[in-house]
Amino acid sequence: MKPNYPTFRFFTPAMVAVLMVIPALLMVSLATAADSPGNELNPDGLAFETGHSPLGLNIFNPRNARSPAGLLYPPVMNSPGFTEAAETGWLYRGVLEAGYLGNSGTTDTGSFLEYGDLSEGFMLRGLGYEAIKPEEGKYFRLVSGAVGRDDSYYHVEGGQYGKMKLGAFFSSTPHTFSTNSRSLYDGIGTGVLALPAGIQAGESTAEDVRNYLNARPPRKLALQRDKSGALFTFDLNRQLQFHGQISSESREGTRAFGGTFSYPQVGQVIETIEPIDHQTTEVITGFRYVRDRLQGNLSYTGSFFRNEFESLTFENPGIPTFAGVYFPPQGQFALAPDNTFHSIRGDLATRFDPWSGRFNATVAYSVASQDEKLLPPTTATGIGGSSSYPVNLDNWNTVNALSQARADARVNTLTAQARYAVRPTRNLGVQFEVRVRDEDNETDYRVFNPLTGEYGYPALDGGLGTVKIGLGGIYRPSVPGSRVRIANIPPAIDRAHGDVSFDYRLQSGTRLNLRLRHQETDYAHRERSRVEDDEIKLEVANSSLDNAILRMTYIHVDRSGTDYNPNPYEQFYSSSFADFQPRFADGQVPHTLSALRKYDLADKSGQTLRAQAHILLSDKSDLQLTGSISDDDFEADFGLRDSRSLTLNTEWTYQFNKESDAFLYYSYQDRRSDVSNINDAGPIGSDPAPGGAVYRLDAVWSQAAKEINHAAGGGYQRAIGALTFEASYTYSFARSELGYDYASPRAFNNAYTQEVAGNAYPDQTFELHMAEASLAWPIRDNFTLRFFYRYEREDLDDFHYQGLVDPVLAGTIYLQAVPEDFSAHLLGTYLKFDF
């Protein structure tokens, strides 16, 4: 019952850590150069270079030299020389570029503004300064761009080669999600979303909400990321180096979030807005040791995340679907908790004379933890739940209803790796590698209310169990089938990995590599307790041909494991209690279909073939061809059954002469997957097998996903006298097809006829065009006038948003944040001054 898509197939030292962190903390005022400078309009940061150098195409040969891998070296660019400061021994150079950026078209959409500040106005595009003192090895560099804009960047570094380095950086990146959102709430950007005057909590009608939303102006949902930091490196002697860096990243803004007050499909769902005020501080410091035959590293990494908002509270506008059903006056979400991460890592590498042996090993120990104060199960008051099973929410809206006050969550991980490589003969190399990972999850929480002596909690503030009694969230021993979560599930992974590889030179220019790998993974509280993965990789490379370098790789993978248990979670549910009463005489409602397999644990047999050819068309031109095809069979009747992909890439480069060069590229990707499952008939029995009363074969459905991606483009650069012209074009196209099949309308609860249901969703397509051109004109020796133009167009056709014009549909309140197509022009005029 697969849709008829064509397929393709083929055959812990705490004291050391403290001592290492203290010096790094002293460097906070330097603020790290770990991030590369740049932004959307200037991704490489401000460069001193302009145009091709008249001295030749590269520094190795005046004409078209190639690297040892056969690739053409990139052209050398013009770079202004240094000026000597009188009687100081310092050489310096600088550049300042400023001008005006204009735009036109649909420049107010979220997609166009997504990651850059492209607003009209003055732009200090870049400032760069560099000074060196060759006799003493001292240097200083400063790079900045888009000064005063939301995507500005600054990078400063200085020191003395072989002795020390100090650096600092700051970068900003905006992230716009949408510009056309409409929200019902006041207080956006805070932890409390309140209904405005005129919208009564719990008593509003759909018409009230619709009229209010339609009258509200659209708003922008976006966040601003600012990251700053500092680094240092001190060479204590010829062998020992001390290094460290500290960075701080803040994210502030808003983004779309969710919310619901009752059972989906029969209750109310509302899109809310999450406040973002995150701060992440990261510290990295350690020692590096280097001698002739020995290298070692000892480092510490610490990450500290803080969230200004511990929760999001939002009021309920109402819109009841059923008369007399309880709707909570407000809801609450716990937001991302404060957390910390510590890691200590040691690396050691050495070499031996016998057989040119090399050995390296790494050991790391990390602790991830969070101990956030826990929130009460509800913020509501009074009597909730249903008339049959009322809930006094005053016994649940206090922290006294918790079994513990804080999360006390912790995961400890120990990892180790060792690699030994030897070359017994001139033509043969052998390498052995072992990796182990031991993860221990120490998180333990029981969902128990000491005030009432009950397990569980009133789900959705008491609203979830109003229509479906069994979903109330509180364990009731007297009610058969009262299965609720009573503890957290602490997943953990232990892994052992080993491989051996052989590298053999068959003849001059031809090399054969064989790698055998075995991996065993033990899971805590998963459907399989152990999974074993085996992989064989064979690679052949040939560089003996006069005009081509060829490489081919074949990989075969196989996965198996212990018996598959579709429900290993009962110990975390009330069904593990001695007084639990199953819903049926022969058992409880199935947790899931017994034949369903999760893709990361299912048996798998897969193959991948990769091929690469680098063709030297001439002294001036290269052609690169790469391709891969893969096919993974998950050997499952239900779940992800198979996954396939095909990727093709080609790139052509041509260096005409020292004044011009060009390139063209094209990439194609085809990805497909097949999924199958059975729509259950509801809580009518305890049989989890396919074909039983719960999972009937006439409710089987399958889905085939197909994604096609095309990317193409090219570029041309040429020096025309004193002018430098550059142009490039990029095209991207993606289409997603989602087809489905089903045994009968039971697969979708008989909600539609077969004629209405059809056998596929409408295709989703995405298309992007981007063309850029620039012209640089050196009007004087140290003044360059540059004109920049970019055209960008994006078209998205997504059926998920089709017809979404009403902000209130069937009890659901939308933000109406629909992606918008755009077509925009950017035009910049800049003057660059070299000094």
Side-chain angles (χ1 to χ4, degrees), residues 12 104 124 195 305 307 353 363 376 487 525 536 549 663 711 772 819:
T12 60
S104 65
L124 181 54
L195 292 171
F305 173 82
N307 190 351
D353 288 331
V363 178
H525 316 302
I536 300 175
I549 300 174
F663 70 92
E772 286 189 353

Side-chain angles (χ1 to χ4, degrees), residues 463-542:
L464 188 55
T466 57
V467 179
K468 299 283 187 177
I469 305 301
L471 298 177
I474 300 174
Y475 174 53
R476 303 185 185 280
S478 61
V479 178
S482 180
R483 181 178 181 266
V484 301
R485 278 279 293 273
I486 52 90
N488 72 290
I489 302 176
I493 297 175
D494 294 337
R495 178 170 290 150
H497 160 112
D499 66 49
V500 57
S501 60
F502 305 90
D503 187 271
Y504 187 73
R505 188 186 301 273
L506 296 174
Q507 59 185 21
S508 177
T510 302
R511 184 175 58 85
L512 175 67
N513 181 273
L514 173 66
R515 187 184 71 189
L516 307 175
R517 172 173 293 175
H518 178 74
Q519 179 174 284
E520 296 182 359
T521 306
D522 293 333
Y523 294 95
H525 316 302
R526 291 293 308 273
E527 286 74 8
R528 268 182 159 165
S529 59
R530 171 169 287 192
V531 168
E532 298 184 5
D533 292 278
D534 292 286
E535 177 183 296
I536 300 175
K537 178 181 178 181
L538 179 64
E539 182 178 85
V540 180
N542 185 292

Side-chain angles (χ1 to χ4, degrees), residues 521-598:
T521 306
D522 293 333
Y523 294 95
H525 316 302
R526 291 293 308 273
E527 286 74 8
R528 268 182 159 165
S529 59
R530 171 169 287 192
V531 168
E532 298 184 5
D533 292 278
D534 292 286
E535 177 183 296
I536 300 175
K537 178 181 178 181
L538 179 64
E539 182 178 85
V540 180
N542 185 292
S543 58
S544 62
L545 301 177
D546 292 338
N547 61 349
I549 300 174
L550 308 176
R551 184 189 303 271
M552 183 168 290
T553 305
Y554 171 73
I555 302 174
H556 176 80
V557 297
D558 185 79
R559 181 195 295 158
S560 60
T562 55
D563 291 341
Y564 193 95
N565 177 11
N567 182 18
Y569 310 113
E570 287 309 294
Q571 61 179 303
F572 306 105
Y573 285 82
S574 57
S575 50
S576 63
F577 292 153
D579 59 354
F580 175 78
Q581 300 182 53
R583 182 156 184 169
F584 307 102
D586 58 349
Q588 176 58 9
V589 175
H591 176 75
T592 190
L593 175 66
S594 62
L596 182 68
R597 297 293 179 263
K598 295 184 177 179

Side-chain angles (χ1 to χ4, degrees), residues 20 59 217 302 326 405 422 440 489 582 590 693 740 756 770:
M20 295 170 68
I59 60 177
Y326 169 76
V422 293
D440 182 20
I489 302 176
Y740 47 83
V756 172
M770 182 183 293

